[in-house]
């Protein structure tokens, strides 16, 4: 898996990250599985398939989906085999 963060000015408190991984299945290990954080999060999936666990519910996703994760919501993603994953998180 490759993850890239885009550094921004300290006066602009937004983190933008890009994640790419091969076509093998698995959990998104960038944050160690289930996690939460204070800011809300937007994720755009260019490619990949899987399920997103968000506040005790499971949501399927695939490429060209836009996900909105509310602030403080427990979440994690699990990717299925087939297509390489490519997503950008803001």
């Amino acid at each position: 898996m490759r993850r890239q963060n885009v550094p921004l000015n300290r006066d602009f408190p937004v983190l933008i990250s890009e994640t790419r991984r091969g076509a093998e299945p698995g959990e998104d290990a960038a944050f160690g599985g289930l996690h939460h954080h204070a800011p809300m999060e937007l994720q755009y999936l260019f490619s990949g398939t899987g399920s997103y666990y968000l506040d005790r519910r499971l949501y399927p996703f695939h490429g060209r989906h836009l996900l909105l994760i509310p602030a403080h919501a427990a979440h994690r993603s699990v990717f299925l085999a087939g297509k390489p994953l490519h997503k950008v998180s803001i």
Side-chain angles (χ1 to χ4, degrees), residues 14-50:
V14 173
L15 174 67
I16 301 172
S17 67
E18 179 180 24
T19 303
R20 293 177 188 253
R21 64 180 288 159
E24 72 282 354
E27 189 172 309
D28 186 357
F31 289 101
L34 187 64
H35 67 283
H36 64 89
H37 36 75
M40 74 172 210
E41 182 176 347
L42 287 171
Q43 286 190 6
Y44 182 76
L45 292 111
F46 293 95
S47 64
T49 58

Side-chain angles (χ1 to χ4, degrees), residues 42-46 63-67 86-90:
L42 287 171
Q43 286 190 6
Y44 182 76
L45 292 111
F46 293 95
R64 299 187 311 201
H65 272 180
L66 178 65
L67 306 172
H86 181 198
K87 70 177 183 175
V88 171
S89 300
I90 302 172

Side-chain angles (χ1 to χ4, degrees), residues 65-84:
H65 272 180
L66 178 65
L67 306 172
L68 171 62
I69 299 119
H72 303 287
H75 59 283
R76 74 181 172 109
S77 49
V78 178
F79 305 103
L80 303 177
K83 283 189 165 183

